[in-house]
Amino acid sequence: MAADDPHDQALMAFSIQSSPGEPAGTGDYAMFQPFCDALAGAPISGTADCEIIGQGGSFDQVDSSAARLLLTFHPTADGKAHRLELRLEGERLVGEYAFDANDVNRPVVAERSPVQ
């Protein structure tokens, strides 16, 4: 979710698979409607419309170290790179969503999904 979203709406869901000590892994994602606002660099309203709603796929790059997790993906038709750069803070991951083509660099928070 965007760190500044007062309603804590999920931007996306993702899963990561990696082996201990290995710097590269794999992962996949599913985009939710509020991501449209993040993509545009706008406040999260939860009402914007864009091509990525409901889209999912595999991350093109998953790099991890003790200090950070870098997830690179290409969810838009223009094929330009989007990044999640995250670091562990307590029980959650904090960092930035970056889309350089739109000059977007937005603070985000990733939390585990509740067990159902």
Side-chain angles (χ1 to χ4, degrees), residues 98-111:
F99 180 42
D100 296 337
N102 281 11
D103 293 325
V104 173
N105 191 336
R106 177 176 220 121
V108 294
V109 175
E111 297 180 345

mmCIF file with all atom_site columns, all heavy atoms in Angstrom, residues 98-111:
data_model
loop_
_atom_site.group_PDB
_atom_site.id
_atom_site.type_symbol
_atom_site.label_atom_id
_atom_site.label_alt_id
_atom_site.label_comp_id
_atom_site.label_asym_id
_atom_site.label_entity_id
_atom_site.label_seq_id
_atom_site.pdbx_PDB_ins_code
_atom_site.Cartn_x
_atom_site.Cartn_y
_atom_site.Cartn_z
_atom_site.occupancy
_atom_site.B_iso_or_equiv
_atom_site.pdbx_formal_charge
_atom_site.auth_seq_id
_atom_site.auth_comp_id
_atom_site.auth_asym_id
_atom_site.auth_atom_id
_atom_site.pdbx_PDB_model_num
ATOM 1   N N   . ALA A 1 98  ? 9.020  2.881  -7.662  1.00 0.00 ? 98  ALA A N   1
ATOM 2   C CA  . ALA A 1 98  ? 9.637  3.828  -8.583  1.00 0.00 ? 98  ALA A CA  1
ATOM 3   C C   . ALA A 1 98  ? 9.250  3.496  -10.016 1.00 0.00 ? 98  ALA A C   1
ATOM 4   O O   . ALA A 1 98  ? 9.334  2.343  -10.445 1.00 0.00 ? 98  ALA A O   1
ATOM 5   C CB  . ALA A 1 98  ? 11.155 3.800  -8.438  1.00 0.00 ? 98  ALA A CB  1
ATOM 6   N N   . PHE A 1 99  ? 8.795  4.522  -10.726 1.00 0.00 ? 99  PHE A N   1
ATOM 7   C CA  . PHE A 1 99  ? 8.523  4.441  -12.162 1.00 0.00 ? 99  PHE A CA  1
ATOM 8   C C   . PHE A 1 99  ? 9.165  5.678  -12.770 1.00 0.00 ? 99  PHE A C   1
ATOM 9   O O   . PHE A 1 99  ? 8.581  6.744  -12.812 1.00 0.00 ? 99  PHE A O   1
ATOM 10  C CB  . PHE A 1 99  ? 7.020  4.375  -12.425 1.00 0.00 ? 99  PHE A CB  1
ATOM 11  C CG  . PHE A 1 99  ? 6.650  4.280  -13.881 1.00 0.00 ? 99  PHE A CG  1
ATOM 12  C CD1 . PHE A 1 99  ? 7.354  3.461  -14.750 1.00 0.00 ? 99  PHE A CD1 1
ATOM 13  C CD2 . PHE A 1 99  ? 5.590  5.004  -14.370 1.00 0.00 ? 99  PHE A CD2 1
ATOM 14  C CE1 . PHE A 1 99  ? 6.995  3.369  -16.089 1.00 0.00 ? 99  PHE A CE1 1
ATOM 15  C CE2 . PHE A 1 99  ? 5.223  4.925  -15.707 1.00 0.00 ? 99  PHE A CE2 1
ATOM 16  C CZ  . PHE A 1 99  ? 5.922  4.109  -16.558 1.00 0.00 ? 99  PHE A CZ  1
ATOM 17  N N   . ASP A 1 100 ? 10.406 5.529  -13.190 1.00 0.00 ? 100 ASP A N   1
ATOM 18  C CA  . ASP A 1 100 ? 11.204 6.653  -13.655 1.00 0.00 ? 100 ASP A CA  1
ATOM 19  C C   . ASP A 1 100 ? 10.584 7.372  -14.850 1.00 0.00 ? 100 ASP A C   1
ATOM 20  O O   . ASP A 1 100 ? 10.722 8.590  -14.981 1.00 0.00 ? 100 ASP A O   1
ATOM 21  C CB  . ASP A 1 100 ? 12.624 6.202  -13.992 1.00 0.00 ? 100 ASP A CB  1
ATOM 22  C CG  . ASP A 1 100 ? 13.362 5.699  -12.763 1.00 0.00 ? 100 ASP A CG  1
ATOM 23  O OD1 . ASP A 1 100 ? 12.997 6.079  -11.627 1.00 0.00 ? 100 ASP A OD1 1
ATOM 24  O OD2 . ASP A 1 100 ? 14.315 4.906  -12.931 1.00 0.00 ? 100 ASP A OD2 1
ATOM 25  N N   . ALA A 1 101 ? 9.901  6.645  -15.736 1.00 0.00 ? 101 ALA A N   1
ATOM 26  C CA  . ALA A 1 101 ? 9.314  7.260  -16.926 1.00 0.00 ? 101 ALA A CA  1
ATOM 27  C C   . ALA A 1 101 ? 8.290  8.334  -16.570 1.00 0.00 ? 101 ALA A C   1
ATOM 28  O O   . ALA A 1 101 ? 8.092  9.277  -17.333 1.00 0.00 ? 101 ALA A O   1
ATOM 29  C CB  . ALA A 1 101 ? 8.682  6.190  -17.810 1.00 0.00 ? 101 ALA A CB  1
ATOM 30  N N   . ASN A 1 102 ? 7.625  8.211  -15.424 1.00 0.00 ? 102 ASN A N   1
ATOM 31  C CA  . ASN A 1 102 ? 6.643  9.204  -14.967 1.00 0.00 ? 102 ASN A CA  1
ATOM 32  C C   . ASN A 1 102 ? 7.161  10.023 -13.792 1.00 0.00 ? 102 ASN A C   1
ATOM 33  O O   . ASN A 1 102 ? 6.387  10.724 -13.145 1.00 0.00 ? 102 ASN A O   1
ATOM 34  C CB  . ASN A 1 102 ? 5.332  8.524  -14.558 1.00 0.00 ? 102 ASN A CB  1
ATOM 35  C CG  . ASN A 1 102 ? 4.466  8.140  -15.724 1.00 0.00 ? 102 ASN A CG  1
ATOM 36  O OD1 . ASN A 1 102 ? 4.887  8.190  -16.869 1.00 0.00 ? 102 ASN A OD1 1
ATOM 37  N ND2 . ASN A 1 102 ? 3.240  7.732  -15.442 1.00 0.00 ? 102 ASN A ND2 1
ATOM 38  N N   . ASP A 1 103 ? 8.451  9.911  -13.493 1.00 0.00 ? 103 ASP A N   1
ATOM 39  C CA  . ASP A 1 103 ? 9.043  10.603 -12.335 1.00 0.00 ? 103 ASP A CA  1
ATOM 40  C C   . ASP A 1 103 ? 8.310  10.277 -11.039 1.00 0.00 ? 103 ASP A C   1
ATOM 41  O O   . ASP A 1 103 ? 8.105  11.145 -10.192 1.00 0.00 ? 103 ASP A O   1
ATOM 42  C CB  . ASP A 1 103 ? 9.080  12.123 -12.554 1.00 0.00 ? 103 ASP A CB  1
ATOM 43  C CG  . ASP A 1 103 ? 10.031 12.521 -13.661 1.00 0.00 ? 103 ASP A CG  1
ATOM 44  O OD1 . ASP A 1 103 ? 11.083 11.865 -13.806 1.00 0.00 ? 103 ASP A OD1 1
ATOM 45  O OD2 . ASP A 1 103 ? 9.724  13.487 -14.390 1.00 0.00 ? 103 ASP A OD2 1
ATOM 46  N N   . VAL A 1 104 ? 7.911  9.020  -10.885 1.00 0.00 ? 104 VAL A N   1
ATOM 47  C CA  . VAL A 1 104 ? 7.206  8.586  -9.679  1.00 0.00 ? 104 VAL A CA  1
ATOM 48  C C   . VAL A 1 104 ? 8.193  7.873  -8.755  1.00 0.00 ? 104 VAL A C   1
ATOM 49  O O   . VAL A 1 104 ? 8.918  6.982  -9.176  1.00 0.00 ? 104 VAL A O   1
ATOM 50  C CB  . VAL A 1 104 ? 6.033  7.632  -10.023 1.00 0.00 ? 104 VAL A CB  1
ATOM 51  C CG1 . VAL A 1 104 ? 5.410  7.060  -8.758  1.00 0.00 ? 104 VAL A CG1 1
ATOM 52  C CG2 . VAL A 1 104 ? 5.001  8.341  -10.869 1.00 0.00 ? 104 VAL A CG2 1
ATOM 53  N N   . ASN A 1 105 ? 8.224  8.315  -7.531  1.00 0.00 ? 105 ASN A N   1
ATOM 54  C CA  . ASN A 1 105 ? 8.991  7.659  -6.473  1.00 0.00 ? 105 ASN A CA  1
ATOM 55  C C   . ASN A 1 105 ? 8.154  7.809  -5.210  1.00 0.00 ? 105 ASN A C   1
ATOM 56  O O   . ASN A 1 105 ? 8.170  8.856  -4.573  1.00 0.00 ? 105 ASN A O   1
ATOM 57  C CB  . ASN A 1 105 ? 10.368 8.296  -6.309  1.00 0.00 ? 105 ASN A CB  1
ATOM 58  C CG  . ASN A 1 105 ? 11.258 7.466  -5.417  1.00 0.00 ? 105 ASN A CG  1
ATOM 59  O OD1 . ASN A 1 105 ? 10.782 6.698  -4.587  1.00 0.00 ? 105 ASN A OD1 1
ATOM 60  N ND2 . ASN A 1 105 ? 12.548 7.632  -5.573  1.00 0.00 ? 105 ASN A ND2 1
ATOM 61  N N   . ARG A 1 106 ? 7.389  6.772  -4.893  1.00 0.00 ? 106 ARG A N   1
ATOM 62  C CA  . ARG A 1 106 ? 6.384  6.863  -3.837  1.00 0.00 ? 106 ARG A CA  1
ATOM 63  C C   . ARG A 1 106 ? 6.690  5.904  -2.700  1.00 0.00 ? 106 ARG A C   1
ATOM 64  O O   . ARG A 1 106 ? 6.912  4.729  -2.919  1.00 0.00 ? 106 ARG A O   1
ATOM 65  C CB  . ARG A 1 106 ? 5.034  6.516  -4.452  1.00 0.00 ? 106 ARG A CB  1
ATOM 66  C CG  . ARG A 1 106 ? 3.926  6.496  -3.464  1.00 0.00 ? 106 ARG A CG  1
ATOM 67  C CD  . ARG A 1 106 ? 2.613  6.245  -4.137  1.00 0.00 ? 106 ARG A CD  1
ATOM 68  N NE  . ARG A 1 106 ? 1.663  7.107  -3.496  1.00 0.00 ? 106 ARG A NE  1
ATOM 69  C CZ  . ARG A 1 106 ? 0.947  8.027  -4.097  1.00 0.00 ? 106 ARG A CZ  1
ATOM 70  N NH1 . ARG A 1 106 ? 1.031  8.196  -5.370  1.00 0.00 ? 106 ARG A NH1 1
ATOM 71  N NH2 . ARG A 1 106 ? 0.114  8.760  -3.415  1.00 0.00 ? 106 ARG A NH2 1
ATOM 72  N N   . PRO A 1 107 ? 6.679  6.383  -1.465  1.00 0.00 ? 107 PRO A N   1
ATOM 73  C CA  . PRO A 1 107 ? 6.869  5.496  -0.316  1.00 0.00 ? 107 PRO A CA  1
ATOM 74  C C   . PRO A 1 107 ? 5.744  4.459  -0.225  1.00 0.00 ? 107 PRO A C   1
ATOM 75  O O   . PRO A 1 107 ? 4.573  4.793  -0.404  1.00 0.00 ? 107 PRO A O   1
ATOM 76  C CB  . PRO A 1 107 ? 6.836  6.442  0.886   1.00 0.00 ? 107 PRO A CB  1
ATOM 77  C CG  . PRO A 1 107 ? 7.150  7.786  0.328   1.00 0.00 ? 107 PRO A CG  1
ATOM 78  C CD  . PRO A 1 107 ? 6.573  7.792  -1.060  1.00 0.00 ? 107 PRO A CD  1
ATOM 79  N N   . VAL A 1 108 ? 6.132  3.207  0.020   1.00 0.00 ? 108 VAL A N   1
ATOM 80  C CA  . VAL A 1 108 ? 5.166  2.117  0.138   1.00 0.00 ? 108 VAL A CA  1
ATOM 81  C C   . VAL A 1 108 ? 5.486  1.256  1.351   1.00 0.00 ? 108 VAL A C   1
ATOM 82  O O   . VAL A 1 108 ? 6.604  1.284  1.876   1.00 0.00 ? 108 VAL A O   1
ATOM 83  C CB  . VAL A 1 108 ? 5.128  1.234  -1.129  1.00 0.00 ? 108 VAL A CB  1
ATOM 84  C CG1 . VAL A 1 108 ? 4.604  2.001  -2.329  1.00 0.00 ? 108 VAL A CG1 1
ATOM 85  C CG2 . VAL A 1 108 ? 6.492  0.633  -1.420  1.00 0.00 ? 108 VAL A CG2 1
ATOM 86  N N   . VAL A 1 109 ? 4.488  0.502  1.765   1.00 0.00 ? 109 VAL A N   1
ATOM 87  C CA  . VAL A 1 109 ? 4.613  -0.433 2.879   1.00 0.00 ? 109 VAL A CA  1
ATOM 88  C C   . VAL A 1 109 ? 4.031  -1.761 2.415   1.00 0.00 ? 109 VAL A C   1
ATOM 89  O O   . VAL A 1 109 ? 2.949  -1.802 1.833   1.00 0.00 ? 109 VAL A O   1
ATOM 90  C CB  . VAL A 1 109 ? 3.834  0.071  4.114   1.00 0.00 ? 109 VAL A CB  1
ATOM 91  C CG1 . VAL A 1 109 ? 3.855  -0.951 5.226   1.00 0.00 ? 109 VAL A CG1 1
ATOM 92  C CG2 . VAL A 1 109 ? 4.348  1.411  4.572   1.00 0.00 ? 109 VAL A CG2 1
ATOM 93  N N   . ALA A 1 110 ? 4.755  -2.845 2.647   1.00 0.00 ? 110 ALA A N   1
ATOM 94  C CA  . ALA A 1 110 ? 4.258  -4.183 2.314   1.00 0.00 ? 110 ALA A CA  1
ATOM 95  C C   . ALA A 1 110 ? 4.102  -4.962 3.609   1.00 0.00 ? 110 ALA A C   1
ATOM 96  O O   . ALA A 1 110 ? 5.019  -5.004 4.424   1.00 0.00 ? 110 ALA A O   1
ATOM 97  C CB  . ALA A 1 110 ? 5.224  -4.891 1.376   1.00 0.00 ? 110 ALA A CB  1
ATOM 98  N N   . GLU A 1 111 ? 2.947  -5.573 3.779   1.00 0.00 ? 111 GLU A N   1
ATOM 99  C CA  . GLU A 1 111 ? 2.678  -6.380 4.951   1.00 0.00 ? 111 GLU A CA  1
ATOM 100 C C   . GLU A 1 111 ? 2.208  -7.754 4.521   1.00 0.00 ? 111 GLU A C   1
ATOM 101 O O   . GLU A 1 111 ? 1.646  -7.919 3.445   1.00 0.00 ? 111 GLU A O   1
ATOM 102 C CB  . GLU A 1 111 ? 1.597  -5.718 5.820   1.00 0.00 ? 111 GLU A CB  1
ATOM 103 C CG  . GLU A 1 111 ? 2.018  -4.365 6.362   1.00 0.00 ? 111 GLU A CG  1
ATOM 104 C CD  . GLU A 1 111 ? 0.941  -3.713 7.214   1.00 0.00 ? 111 GLU A CD  1
ATOM 105 O OE1 . GLU A 1 111 ? -0.226 -4.147 7.165   1.00 0.00 ? 111 GLU A OE1 1
ATOM 106 O OE2 . GLU A 1 111 ? 1.280  -2.768 7.932   1.00 0.00 ? 111 GLU A OE2 1
#
